Amino acid sequence: MAKSSDEQMLDQLQQNALRYFRGEVNSVNGLVADSTKEASFSSIAAVGLAFTVYPVAVERGYFTRDEAVRRTLAALRFFWHSEQSDGPEATGYKGFYYHFLDMETGLRARRSELSTIDTAILLAGALTAAAYFQADNVHEQEIRELADKLYRRADWTWACNGEATVVHGWKPESGFITYRWKGYNEALLLYILGLGSPTHPLPPESYQAFTAGYDEHWKEIYGREVLYAGSLFIHQLPQIWLDLRNIQDEPMRAKGFDYFENSRRAVYIQQEYAVHNPFRFHVYAKDCWGFTASDGPGPEARQVNGIDRRFFGYEQRGAPFGPDDGTIAPWAAVASLPFAPEIVLPTIARFEELDLEALRSQGYGFRATYNATYHTRAEKESLTLDKIDGETVWVSPWYYALNQGPIILMIENYRTELLWRLMHHASPIVQGLRRAGFTGGWLSSNS
């Protein structure tokens, strides 16, 4: 039976995005480039996504199993054997890793921070690899052993620095970063992993301290009650790995719905905001939306068609409360597919129809963003210009691993639930969810 047009479209999207994780990787140490910018560093989150992508690549026939095993082992061996110390040029410390690493040496790059959230993404990917590669042979056994060792080494207690919540990071030059993970954000994944640790676990009160900040995030928007996060990545990132359908923690039990439903509502709010389009940006519509942390054409202020506009560079864009400068991230809509396929599939189809070849060049998935309001001649070397309906449009010049990975992984969760099913059997995830107070659904029946 011939595949439907939707299935063909999703096949192509996944295949294009998968090419990033073949082309932007150091095959010796397994490190993955943060972006296609010249001389890009690796980001440890990109490696965590790669660990998670490789099983999908095998299932989709894009990688052989042997190739995926080799790539996975290269990275796991590197992280296990890399320098763990408080030296300023190490790779990590206390089981955590620096946000950016040199692609060749694997040493700390850009004086970046020892990142707790990016380490959580790295470890979530390692646990995915361990859950998938279950064959009884020496190489897949090594994957399982190394993933377990890396997870056990992370000292979550240390990362609290004497308080209940987890800090954003640490630097050898200045110590712990002041900011902490609390309130509704992507660190939901971090707390589940920290609570599930068999060696240095977070105490249960850490999760309560994390969710204590929820009160200010509850909003009613367009008639929908929602635990608000304006940027879509906050909803998407934890749910690449965490199947939050029909399971609830205490804050969600009190409201009578779950995080998955909350994310579904957030997607509908984004679409409705684009329809209302209160600031009259170009090419916003029911099938053109996607607001998240992303690249942009600024920083710059200019007048466009008689309206004073302020354009941002990288910014945590959101809807409906902004910031918003007319920049749309197609990948953010694609990665919302499991939450609301009935509105996401037509949106993907619309992105495919737009005359934006620059969004799909170089054989990878969609570029990070485009802005149809910022239209001008190319005044900066970084500008890539294209056209929609005769108007010149700014398109991000680069691809990012943190965009390409979620395209692949959330499409796969929509199509087969592969990653969610794998994590149902990952004891750190199950233990972490239970310690956080989640009950119901698959978690109650999982032994």
Side-chain angles (χ1 to χ4, degrees), residues 2-21:
K3 287 190 175 183
S4 70
S5 59
D6 284 346
E7 284 293 299
Q8 291 174 338
M9 179 175 67
L10 296 180
D11 277 343
Q12 193 62 56
L13 277 169
Q14 283 189 301
Q15 182 173 325
N16 288 347
L18 278 162
R19 291 193 181 105
Y20 185 99
F21 294 93

Side-chain angles (χ1 to χ4, degrees), residues 303-316:
Q303 192 173 86
V304 180
N305 296 337
I307 301 174
D308 290 331
R309 299 291 194 188
R310 185 175 185 85
F311 298 98
F312 312 120
Y314 184 88
E315 184 61 72
Q316 189 163 316

Side-chain angles (χ1 to χ4, degrees), residues 6-44:
D6 284 346
E7 284 293 299
Q8 291 174 338
M9 179 175 67
L10 296 180
D11 277 343
Q12 193 62 56
L13 277 169
Q14 283 189 301
Q15 182 173 325
N16 288 347
L18 278 162
R19 291 193 181 105
Y20 185 99
F21 294 93
R22 183 184 290 280
E24 304 298 329
V25 181
N26 182 329
S27 60
V28 176
N29 58 23
L31 295 181
V32 181
D34 178 62
S35 72
T36 55
K37 293 180 182 180
E38 186 176 356
S40 172
F41 298 113
S42 175
S43 74
I44 59 171

Side-chain angles (χ1 to χ4, degrees), residues 221-279:
I221 305 171
Y222 306 139
R224 295 181 175 89
E225 186 177 23
V226 65
L227 183 58
Y228 179 72
S231 287
L232 281 173
F233 86 94
I234 291 174
H235 299 279
Q236 296 160 347
L237 188 63
Q239 293 184 79
I240 289 173
W241 295 277
L242 303 179
D243 181 3
L244 300 180
R245 298 171 299 171
N246 302 313
I247 67 172
Q248 297 169 311
D249 59 4
E250 185 53 40
M252 284 302 180
R253 278 192 292 274
K255 292 293 182 177
F257 58 97
D258 57 45
Y259 287 98
F260 186 88
E261 169 62 22
N262 187 69
S263 299
R264 177 181 173 81
R265 296 179 187 188
V267 172
Y268 268 91
I269 286 168
Q270 289 232 346
Q271 183 197 49
E272 194 159 346
Y273 171 78
V275 170
H276 287 303
N277 193 11
F279 300 106

